[in-house]
Amino acid sequence: DSGVTQTPKHLITATGQRVTLRCSPRSGDLSVYWYQQSLDQGLQFLIQYYNGEERAKGNILERFSAQQFPDLHSELNLSSLELGDSALYFCASSADYYNEQFFGPGTRLTVL
Amino acid sequence: EDQVTQSPEALRLQEGESSSLNCSYTVSGLRGLFWYRQDPGKGPEFLFTLYSAGEEKEKERLKATLTKKESFLHITAPKPEDSATYLCAVTGAGSYQLTFGKGTKLSVIP
């Protein structure tokens, strides 16, 4: 158990819908990262927050957004969902940006 | 742009048959190289961080080494429970993210 929690574990929804994925980092970690993992692309970095502020953006679509709250939990919002958005979404946390990242169990999103 | 290439893509070993996985990387100012283990449908599990060429780290049957261009994950006398996908990732100077390779899927046959 990494200490990072993610909810829900599974999410099934339809195209065009909007969903919210939630992540709670390890106790004491200030950085939260979101990754997308699909079969053909591997793990792709989406976005990072550090102590409530956006720190870095990767291959994140404009339809996706995230935020980190004062209690340090984070939410990833996915809107106007498409079939291609079906993937595993992982949250990771670290003490700071140069430390090893610890991953949560992931949310499996299926868009029908 | 940081790049990570892992080889082989898949590896089948008999129980007890030692081998090595390779991770070649291109990064501007290596800040750290990370090895993770991932079981199907689960989140990556952190194994090692290496910071500079010549560094080595060990954990049970696994040993990670680092040169200026690549890292190796040596698996000694593997057991079936070592079967998983092993991921390599790097972070460079001025970067806040991990760049992952596509992984090596290891199968250890009893």
Side-chain angles (χ1 to χ4, degrees):
Chain A
D1 184 356
S2 67
V4 179
T5 61
Q6 289 186 248
T7 56
K9 193 169 183 179
H10 301 280
L11 203 47
I12 301 174
T13 188
T15 54
Q17 295 299 304
R18 172 189 170 95
V19 296
T20 297
L21 282 52
R22 182 188 168 102
C23 166
S24 292
R26 293 189 319 159
S27 177
D29 284 356
L30 299 178
S31 268
V32 169
Y33 310 77
W34 286 97
Y35 291 85
Q36 180 190 58
Q37 188 176 42
S38 54
L39 282 174
D40 56 342
Q41 291 293 323
L43 266 168
Q44 297 288 316
F45 168 72
L46 296 178
I47 196 165
Q48 180 208 1
Y49 280 82
Y50 177 79
N51 202 21
E53 294 189 3
E54 182 184 303
R55 180 68 70 88
K57 265 187 175 180
N59 301 318
I60 188 166
L61 300 172
E62 286 192 12
R63 301 183 285 108
F64 296 0
S65 65
Q67 57 186 133
Q68 186 179 27
F69 295 86
D71 67 352
L72 300 178
H73 91 271
S74 178
E75 293 181 355
L76 179 67
N77 300 296
L78 315 176
S79 61
S80 303
L81 285 167
E82 303 175 358
L83 295 177
D85 297 327
S86 295
L88 272 166
Y89 290 84
F90 290 106
C91 168
S93 74
S94 68
D96 204 330
Y97 62 88
Y98 52 82
N99 297 113
E100 50 270 8
Q101 297 177 22
F102 294 88
F103 283 75
T107 293
R108 181 176 292 280
L109 174 65
T110 303
V111 183
L112 301 175
Chain B
E1 183 180 327
D2 301 343
Q3 291 189 334
V4 177
T5 303
Q6 292 188 246
S7 61
E9 288 186 15
L11 182 62
R12 284 172 62 93
L13 298 173
Q14 291 293 320
E15 184 172 1
E17 179 187 2
S18 301
S19 188
S20 296
L21 314 183
N22 177 264
C23 170
S24 297
Y25 64 90
T26 303
V27 64
S28 177
L30 180 70
R31 194 188 294 278
L33 184 140
F34 306 84
W35 281 99
Y36 287 84
R37 168 196 170 123
Q38 186 175 26
D39 293 303
K42 303 279 184 72
E45 174 190 345
F46 171 73
L47 294 174
F48 304 109
T49 307
L50 301 168
Y51 294 104
S52 57
E55 191 174 359
E56 299 183 352
K57 288 196 176 169
E58 286 188 66
K59 179 181 178 180
E60 296 180 355
R61 295 177 293 282
L62 300 177
K63 178 180 176 180
T65 62
L66 180 65
T67 72
K68 289 187 177 179
K69 293 183 179 181
E70 57 192 350
S71 177
F72 293 93
L73 185 66
H74 307 278
I75 303 176
T76 302
K79 298 182 177 182
E81 52 263 41
D82 295 322
S83 297
T85 295
Y86 290 85
L87 299 168
C88 173
V90 297
T91 187
S95 173
Y96 298 101
Q97 67 204 61
L98 291 178
T99 299
F100 279 88
K102 295 199 172 182
T104 293
K105 184 174 181 180
L106 174 66
S107 301
V108 182
I109 313 303

